[in-house]
Amino acid sequence: MPSHRAPGDLLHDRLIGLAGTPDADPAVPRSLIAIAQLSADRIAAVSYASVTGRLSGGYTTVAASSELAGAVDQAQYADGGPCVAALDSGEPMLVEDISAVMTWPGFRETAVEIGLRASLSIPLFAGRGTPIASLNLYGRDAAAMRELSAAVLSVYNATLVAWECPDDLDRGAGELVGGLNDAFAVRAVVQQAIGVVMALTAKDLAGAYSSLCVRAAQTGSTLTQAAAQVVSGRRW
């Protein structure tokens, strides 16, 4: 499994940890809170950060680095916005010029009022591998946000070739894009293990995933470790 980790890469570690944690684990909300705060603290282009999740058929802010970030999120829940679009589509949503956005007036007006120029919303996933939240990054420097967004999008586009972290990123941005890349590697192993369990037990996807989570708990291993053991041994 590839790794772009360096000592002290807290954001990187949180992202790959989330990818290897069962969705229902109580550690998931704590990870989302940490990811939002670390993103705001460590990524130079980011002024504020938040995490949007689903709640009772709607959306809610489950973590925010400041009240301002939460306010920008709330402005999107009525008429939509990049955080909602990213969570629903499973794809990153870049807004290069917030002031020019016509589709989401509530988002535009609130964001512009506090001086935000650009935003990037990134789907986040836990062990099941489907989006559970959207990491929303808000910035006052449009050019810096474009550079960060290009690096994030390169992770999503790296399907046939090995991804390499750009050298010109600041430390926090490198943690983010490296963490996302390695989170995809974790997801690939877990999904492969689920496939093995399905083949060996005739269970459906949900049942195989649940069984893998139970196996991890019973053996005192992480979901990532349990998945790797299944894939390497191809036995259940």
Side-chain angles (χ1 to χ4, degrees):
M1 184 180 302
S3 175
H4 297 83
R5 184 183 186 280
D9 281 356
L10 302 179
L11 179 54
H12 172 279
D13 292 351
R14 283 289 187 175
L15 289 165
I16 62 171
L18 177 65
T21 301
D23 290 46
D25 194 297
V28 168
R30 295 195 296 270
S31 292
L32 294 175
I33 292 170
I35 288 169
Q37 193 61 57
L38 287 167
S39 295
D41 290 345
R42 299 173 74 85
I43 303 174
V46 176
S47 301
Y48 310 108
S50 66
V51 172
T52 293
R54 295 187 180 91
L55 179 64
S56 302
Y59 305 94
T60 186
T61 298
V62 299
S65 65
S66 72
E67 292 183 1
L68 292 176
V72 178
D73 288 355
Q74 289 297 326
Q76 300 177 61
Y77 299 154
D79 59 5
C83 69
V84 173
L87 182 51
D88 287 349
S89 69
E91 296 291 334
M93 294 297 297
L94 165 64
V95 179
E96 295 189 68
D97 182 359
I98 293 176
S99 66
V101 170
M102 295 292 106
T103 309
W104 305 309
F107 163 64
R108 181 190 68 240
E109 292 167 8
T110 303
V112 169
E113 184 177 354
I114 63 175
L116 297 179
R117 300 286 305 281
S119 73
L120 174 65
S121 292
I122 307 166
L124 298 178
F125 52 85
R128 189 183 294 272
T130 56
I132 60 167
S134 170
L135 172 62
N136 310 308
L137 308 178
Y138 302 117
R140 301 180 186 277
D141 185 332
M145 287 293 292
R146 280 195 297 272
E147 293 178 3
L148 173 64
S149 299
V152 169
L153 292 173
S154 73
V155 174
Y156 280 79
N157 294 332
T159 55
L160 299 178
V161 296
W163 178 85
E164 292 294 335
C165 185
D167 294 331
D168 57 350
L169 292 180
D170 65 86
R171 175 66 178 271
E175 291 180 30
L176 173 68
V177 295
L180 290 170
N181 182 75
D182 287 356
F184 276 120
V186 169
R187 185 171 73 171
V189 172
V190 173
Q191 293 300 307
Q192 188 176 355
I194 290 172
V196 172
V197 176
M198 291 175 65
L200 295 178
T201 65
K203 292 182 178 180
D204 62 13
L205 190 151
Y209 168 70
S210 179
S211 295
L212 187 62
C213 291
V214 170
R215 170 66 66 88
Q218 289 176 339
T219 59
S221 57
T222 67
L223 182 61
T224 307
Q225 292 168 336
Q229 291 167 1
V230 170
V231 170
S232 63
R234 293 193 173 272
R235 63 178 183 275
W236 185 248

